[in-house]
Amino acid sequence: MTNSFQLARRFTLAAVLLMSTAALAACNDSVTAPEVAAPASLVTSIVENVYLPTFDSLNARAARLSAALDALAASPTPGNLSAAQSAWRATREMYERNEGFAFGPLITSEYDPNMDTWPIDRAGIDALVLGSASISKEEIDLEDGTVKGFHGIEYILFGDHGATTAASLTAGQRAYLRAAGQSLAAVAFALDEAWSPSVGNFAGQLTSAGDGASVYAALGAALQEIVSGLIEPTDEVPNSKIALPLSSGDTYFEESAFSDNTLDDLENDLHGAYAVYTGSFGGDANGISALVAAQSPSLDQQVRAQFAAAFAALDAVGPSFDDALHHDPDALRAAQQTILTLNHTLVNQVAPIAGAVGDDD
């Protein structure tokens, strides 16, 4: 999610990682040894088992969403509306999972703001759909991120509190959905290609870290990028995605409010981070956990337990984020604090381990 707070958080987190590494050098008792053996196979495993499959799946799901929106635009039936809404949720799931590794082309090529800017410009979207029934993909491509992407589509596809019906969709709204879906799918395709080893090969920048050709001068630099990425959702979820609506009591600040998908968003943010930690979405592989467990098995178990507690705390919020915001804010505060505890452990104990990896490891 791109918003006015996100870039500031990324710079802050990078500074924290540098300070954590410096603190480790000054005080060896935070881990058992200053040098940690972390073979390049760990980076390769995370790239191949987590990053690349996620971008591949996002691309495939975005293409299916675009096709579903095309079908809805051509024939606005209840069945086509339901199918398009389901396709939006499925695509959203995979996008939120990449919040655990939101770096590289997603940011440098501005794919993120073109797909996931929030809050949106509702007045701008209303003007677009009112002014034309023949909106093209090329027109949407040129628009600011506040009037397109996931949340622009969500606004029209679901409406306020799910008010959209097949019969209520105007010609302009249907044209917008078709064009915005095609635009989103094109960005997802470009993002997938940018990471693909056979095309843009940003994946290779990580897996070849330290070889002189990579943007990562050493293996440790790549690991710090990876760890910074997995930490990011544990900062953004409590300090922005929960804090902003909670402090204001206003649904306007709730991401994915139109679809009532906010809780799923938050859980998928953490699922992406946890997959990087364990090395897989489907169990244990060669992830950051292996690095941590080699230093401190008890810390590894602590991190896993704190992730489990964070998922449980989000599961306790309900029946929806919006309902909890207005009727049970204490459940949101409890989830917020649980995730902040996880974030504190990752920043202060896990990040220094990655930072301790030497240039020759």
Side-chain angles (χ1 to χ4, degrees):
M1 174 188 70
T2 293
N3 60 34
S4 59
F5 303 95
Q6 191 169 16
L7 288 178
R9 278 199 309 274
R10 286 197 178 108
F11 286 123
T12 299
L13 183 54
V16 167
L17 285 172
L18 288 173
M19 288 187 292
S20 296
T21 303
L24 176 62
C27 182
N28 285 344
D29 64 1
S30 58
V31 291
T32 57
E35 292 292 327
V36 182
S41 62
L42 185 148
V43 173
T44 299
S45 178
I46 292 171
V47 168
E48 293 181 349
N49 293 324
V50 179
Y51 294 176
L52 293 178
T54 301
F55 292 123
D56 285 347
S57 183
L58 172 63
N59 177 32
R61 294 186 188 199
R64 289 196 290 270
L65 170 60
S66 180
L69 292 171
D70 285 350
L72 176 62
S75 179
T77 65
N80 282 344
L81 175 61
S82 179
Q85 290 173 337
S86 294
W88 184 92
R89 293 183 191 278
T91 310
R92 184 71 184 160
E93 174 188 24
M94 210 49 60
Y95 189 85
E96 286 303 293
R97 289 190 173 194
N98 86 55
E99 294 278 15
F101 33 99
F103 56 82
L106 185 73
I107 305 304
T108 58
S109 296
E110 298 191 347
Y111 297 135
D112 181 62
N114 280 293
M115 298 179 78
D116 196 35
T117 293
W118 178 263
I120 56 169
D121 177 6
R122 294 176 57 164
I125 296 172
D126 290 341
L128 272 177
V129 302
L130 183 64
S132 175
S134 58
I135 304 168
S136 70
K137 169 189 173 294
E138 290 70 26
E139 290 176 278
I140 294 295
D141 287 343
L142 295 174
E143 292 288 347
D144 182 81
T146 59
V147 294
K148 61 184 179 183
F150 275 105
H151 297 299
I153 294 170
E154 179 196 17
Y155 171 50
I156 299 299
L157 190 60
F158 293 88
D160 279 316
H161 302 288
T164 295
T165 65
S168 73
L169 287 169
T170 67
Q173 288 174 326
R174 297 198 304 273
Y176 169 86
L177 288 174
R178 176 190 288 115
Q182 292 170 356
S183 181
L184 181 75
V187 177
F189 177 79
L191 174 62
D192 191 33
E193 292 233 307
W195 273 85
S196 171
S198 62
V199 189
N201 197 26
F202 186 78
Q205 296 288 339
L206 288 165
T207 58
S208 64
D211 72 355
S214 171
V215 296
Y216 300 100
L219 175 62
L223 282 169
Q224 287 182 58
E225 180 85 281
I226 290 169
V227 172
S228 177
L230 85 85
I231 291 174
E232 171 68 18
T234 70
D235 174 36
E236 184 180 17
V237 168
N239 289 320
S240 178
K241 292 190 175 185
I242 294 177
L244 291 178
L246 192 57
S247 62
S248 65
D250 191 344
T251 301
Y252 173 81
F253 293 104
E254 178 190 336
E255 193 178 20
S256 299
F258 303 117
S259 59
D260 207 17
N261 202 66
T262 305
L263 276 178
D264 285 339
D265 278 6
L266 304 187
E267 290 195 5
N268 281 312
D269 287 344
L270 295 187
H271 276 302
Y274 190 60
V276 176
Y277 187 75
T278 61
S280 171
F281 279 106
D284 281 331
N286 195 17
I288 298 301
S289 170
L291 189 68
V292 175
Q295 277 277 8
S296 172
S298 63
L299 176 58
D300 178 51
Q301 292 304 310
Q302 178 184 348
V303 172
R304 291 169 179 270
Q306 289 179 352
F307 264 109
F311 288 122
L314 287 174
D315 285 342
V317 175
S320 69
F321 187 101
D322 190 67
D323 185 83
L325 179 63
H326 298 294
H327 301 109
D328 189 13
D330 284 345
L332 287 173
R333 293 189 187 97
Q336 182 183 41
Q337 289 304 312
T338 302
I339 299 168
L340 285 171
T341 297
L342 168 63
N343 175 261
H344 182 82
T345 300
L346 292 173
V347 168
N348 292 290
Q349 298 185 65
V350 172
I353 291 177
V357 175
D359 291 354
D360 297 325
D361 289 328

